[in-house]
């Protein structure tokens, strides 16, 4: 799942269910309520009890699953010493950050031979879910009678009260999440561990095999796994990093089955899906396909091309930029696929049909009549600004120095305000230090300058001239060139030549003696304040955007309330919202391009795709040797090693790294991707096409054991052969 832009300090950046399904492949279910699905799960082959999945009085499978870093990925505990499996692309940033041309673990792979070799990852943490509580009655009571304008404040008040109460006298933290657009509220209590260390990863030629070409595609041949470990204090409690910490003794860890998978087997994915928008109306689909998605793709393309050019110049630059590159490339391709498949699968038409049905049902129900017309009007008012708005996050805020300068503003002001509070000062300094380090880690002068100028030229062409704020018109007037691109290039030259808040080294000097006065007139600092998203939006959009947001929130709330009513006799699941969910279904093939797609892939096919020295399809010698010698250990099947398989589970970004669990509660794979034919899945689940792509745990273990000689790690695992 894509990580959010890191903007802290005082600024905030801002199908429906067919119910009684024969098979519930669709659906991201709330673990606490999974009992309601239990009969159906059993019918599909599940052998354990609902309490084995979620129980707050004794260890259950939920206790073996963590969300990583606040939700960007999922990981699972696989040993009694806190060992974690997740995806390679989830560990990518940690792996790249520990790589240098001299010790290049990203390219060569790495398996720690002892605890001492495990690499601390500052800033990385995991959360265990302690319990869920339904707090709908309390929240609804607190919101009763509130106007739309008051809702936000009232919700914050009651949430704080409930959260404070629930974690009083504990080291837990909690949050309230809204479901069905404010029609239900659940409280989640978590336990956070912040000493998490990198234990191992295959060479990226295995972990990212197929690169962007194969990304979001099936059949797939990627060994998308990496290994971490949770550490605790000597008392087993969460503790900040210390050399004295010890591997966590978890409440629960997953056993591993190497028996293999076949079509129709029960399969379940348990993890943290980030966000879906399954109730988006046809208006929203239209806006995405016709206006905003193509802009996102175009702007990401600018960044990717500029970075790639530099990455091709040296290993050092490649290692430095590869994590950011992969993150942006992943969703670049996502938006291409989403747009294509929304059109191809006629999701707009499908939604229109559902909306027409809804309108019929709503006739004579005063609360809901006119709902679809109201949506139509809200979108019509908003549409003239939609492209411009997309340009804020994906364009104006995309050059690294902009967010850096916004954080400098917030951070330095916070330091000044808190100057008498030593603890606060230390904490702000450390956060700001981390932001500067991250920025430095992705900084590349040539690429950054080019990206800035090209994005702005694109902005100038795509955003209606009447909406251009004065400071942008001024740039083009004052830095005259024969094209807007030339003007913005000249302006970029000026910024880089005269600013002290762009180059990481300059910023570090500034931080020796941080003062807003010292940078108040710095051109990059001034520019960034001009594009501060809140101030910018207020200035150029007035209340257009906030009005749309408020109206859409009101309509969404009503629409979902109505759908809950309409489907009262059926099981409904809420959109993903970064809370823990269970998706259950089966290992299942599908028809791709008129032919049956395989349900599994294998090592022979990996080797068939091998292209020596290629960016995407190279392979390590160890793999080629083991393949030739047929050293498959206990992981082989039919004279090869299984690599990936597919299920019909319902997942999205954030689920990456989630355990794929069989009927007996054993780990059989790690979920890591979706397939091209169903890229519209976050907006509409397509039963025929939507599949979850999983790396077979036997490939993971083969890579660790046979290629990586990580016997120490293998011996920690509870491997079931039958
Ligand atoms: N599409 C995958 C996901 O979003 C990420 C795959 C990472 N690999 C890559 N080639 N970028 O979970």
């Amino acid at each position: 799942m894509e990580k959010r832009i890191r903007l802290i300090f005082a600024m905030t950046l801002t199908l429906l269910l067919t119910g009684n399904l024969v098979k519930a492949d669709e659906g991201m279910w709330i673990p606490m309520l999974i009992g309601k699905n239990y009969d159906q799960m059993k019918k599909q082959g599940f052998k354990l009890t609902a309490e084995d999945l979620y129980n707050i009085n004794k260890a259950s499978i939920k206790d073996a699953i963590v969300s990583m870093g606040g939700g960007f990925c999922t990981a699972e505990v696989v040993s009694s010493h806190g060992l974690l499996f997740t995806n390679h692309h989830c560990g990518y940033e940690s792996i790249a950050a520990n790589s240098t041309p001299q010790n290049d673990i990203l390219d060569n792979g790495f398996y720690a031979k002892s605890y001492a070799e495990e690499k601390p990852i500052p800033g990385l943490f995991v959360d265990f879910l302690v319990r869920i509580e339904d707090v709908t009655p309390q929240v609804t009571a607190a919101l009763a009678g509130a106007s739309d304008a008051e809702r936000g404040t009232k919700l914050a008040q009651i949430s704080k009260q409930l959260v404070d109460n629930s974690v009083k006298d504990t080291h837990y933290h909690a949050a309230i999440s809204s479901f069905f657009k404010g029609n239900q509220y659940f409280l989640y209590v978590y336990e956070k561990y912040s000493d998490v260390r990198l234990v191992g990863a295959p060479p990226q030629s295995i972990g990212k095999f197929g690169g962007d070409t194969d990304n979001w595609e099936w059949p797939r041949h990627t060994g998308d796994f990496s290994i971490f470990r949770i550490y605790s204090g000597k008392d087993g409690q969460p503790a900040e990093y210390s050399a004295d910490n010890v591997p966590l003794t978890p409440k629960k860890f997953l056993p591993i089955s190497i028996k293999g998978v076949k079509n129709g087997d029960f399969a379940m994915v348990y993890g943290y899906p980030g966000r879906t928008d399954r109730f988006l109306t046809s208006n929203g689909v239209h806006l995405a396909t016709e206006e905003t998605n193509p802009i996102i793709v175009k702007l990401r393309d600018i960044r990717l091309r500029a970075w790639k050019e530099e990455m091709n110049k040296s290993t050092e630059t490649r290692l430095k930029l590869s994590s950011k590159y992969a993150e942006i490339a992943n969703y670049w391709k996502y938006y291409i696929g989403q747009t294509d498949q929304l059109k191809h699968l006629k999701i707009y038409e499908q939604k229109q049909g559902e909306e027409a049905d809804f309108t019929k049902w709503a006739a004579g129900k005063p609360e809901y009549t006119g709902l679809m017309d109201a949506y139509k009007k809200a979108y019509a008012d908003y549409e003239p600004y939609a492209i411009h708005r997309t340009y804020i996050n994906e364009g104006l805020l995309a050059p690294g120095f902009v967010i850096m300068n916004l954080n400098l503003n917030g951070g330095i002001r916070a330091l000044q305000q808190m100057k008498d509070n030593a603890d606060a000062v230390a904490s702000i300094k450390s956060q700001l230090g981390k932001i500067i380090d991250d920025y430095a880690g992705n900084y590349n002068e040539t690429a950054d300058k080019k990206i800035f100028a090209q994005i702005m030229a694109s902005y100038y062409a795509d955003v209606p001239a009447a909406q251009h704020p004065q400071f942008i018109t001024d740039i083009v007037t004052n830095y005259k060139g024969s094209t807007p691109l030339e003007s913005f290039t000249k302006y970029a030259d000026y910024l880089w030549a005269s600013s002290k808040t762009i180059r990481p080294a300059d910023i570090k000097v500034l931080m020796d003696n941080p003062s807003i006065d010292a940078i108040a007139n710095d051109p990059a600092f001034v520019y960034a304040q001009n594009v501060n998203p809140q101030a910018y939006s207020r200035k150029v959009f007035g209340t257009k955007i906030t009005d749309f947001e408020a109206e859409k929130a009101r309509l969404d709330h009503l629409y979902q309330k109505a759908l809950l009513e309409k489907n009262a006799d059926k099981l409904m699941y809420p959109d993903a919202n970064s809370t823990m969910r269970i998706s259950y279904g089966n290992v299942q093939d599908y028809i791709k391009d008129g032919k049956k797609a395989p349900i599994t892939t294998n090592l022979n096919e990996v080797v068939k795709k091998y292209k020596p020295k290629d960016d995407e399809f190279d392979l390590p010698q160890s793999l080629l040797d083991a393949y030739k010698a047929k050293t498959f250990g206990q992981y082989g099947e039919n004279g090869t090693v299984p690599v990936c398989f597919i299920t019909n589970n319902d997942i999205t970004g954030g689920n990456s790294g989630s355990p794929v669990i069989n009927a007996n509660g054993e780990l059989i794979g790690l979920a890591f991707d979706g397939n091209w034919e169903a890229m519209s899945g976050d907006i509409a689940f397509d039963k025929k096409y939507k599949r979850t792509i999983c790396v077979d745990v036997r490939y993971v273990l083969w890579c660790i054991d046979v290629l990586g000689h990580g016997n120490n790690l293998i011996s920690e695992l509870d491997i079931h052969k039958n």
Side-chain angles (χ1 to χ4, degrees), residues 342-357:
L342 283 171
K343 290 184 184 166
H344 180 233
L345 296 174
K346 302 208 177 329
I347 303 301
Y348 175 78
E349 290 78 0
Q350 180 188 316
K351 297 242 179 197
Q352 286 222 307
E354 285 162 3
E355 288 156 19
D357 267 4

Side-chain angles (χ1 to χ4, degrees), residues 47 65 134 172 208 463 510 576 716:
K47 300 242 170 64
I65 297 164
D134 185 352
Y172 298 150
K208 205 186 169 202
V463 172
L510 198 101
E716 276 188 48

Side-chain angles (χ1 to χ4, degrees), residues 239-425:
E240 288 303 315
Y241 170 81
S242 155
D244 296 337
N245 284 349
V246 296
L248 173 74
T249 304
K251 279 202 198 71
K252 170 89 186 164
F253 66 92
L254 296 179
I256 295 174
S257 167
I258 57 170
K259 212 175 127 193
V261 298
K262 58 178 193 316
N263 210 9
D265 281 357
F266 178 86
M268 162 173 91
V269 174
Y270 204 157
Y272 282 88
R275 211 178 83 104
T276 54
D277 212 354
R278 299 256 164 92
F279 302 92
L280 186 71
T281 58
S282 57
N283 322 277
V285 173
H286 178 83
L287 196 64
T289 54
E290 304 311 312
E291 312 234 16
T292 53
N293 279 8
I295 297 291
I296 298 175
V297 172
K298 173 174 162 181
L299 291 174
R300 289 187 170 227
D301 206 43
I302 290 176
R303 283 196 264 176
L304 294 174
R305 271 186 289 120
W307 284 330
K308 191 73 179 187
E309 245 174 73
E310 298 311 307
M311 286 165 73
N312 286 341
K313 289 182 186 163
S314 79
T315 303
E316 197 185 341
T317 308
R318 182 170 57 80
L319 290 175
K320 191 173 155 168
L321 297 181
S322 54
S323 175
K324 189 83 189 160
Y325 184 93
E327 180 193 328
I328 298 299
N330 187 29
Y331 274 79
W332 161 79
K333 194 167 175 188
Y334 169 95
Y335 281 108
I336 297 175
Q338 187 189 65
T339 313
D340 282 6
Q341 301 306 348
L342 283 171
K343 290 184 184 166
H344 180 233
L345 296 174
K346 302 208 177 329
I347 303 301
Y348 175 78
E349 290 78 0
Q350 180 188 316
K351 297 242 179 197
Q352 286 222 307
E354 285 162 3
E355 288 156 19
D357 267 4
F358 176 84
T359 301
K360 255 189 236 147
W361 174 86
K365 299 184 177 69
E367 200 180 1
Y368 306 129
T369 38
L371 191 60
M372 290 303 149
D373 290 335
Y375 265 118
K376 199 168 160 193
K377 178 171 186 320
Y379 273 94
D381 290 347
Y382 169 62
E383 192 167 352
Y385 308 95
I387 286 188
H388 193 169
R389 191 189 184 201
T390 302
Y391 259 93
I392 297 182
N393 274 326
E394 293 283 333
L396 296 175
L397 297 175
F401 83 86
V402 176
I403 297 282
M404 183 65 249
N405 273 268
L406 290 172
N407 278 318
L408 276 180
N409 186 32
I412 297 176
R413 285 182 199 280
L415 279 177
Q416 284 170 356
Q417 254 169 33
M418 293 288 170
K419 64 178 185 311
D420 299 325
N421 179 340
D423 284 352
V425 165

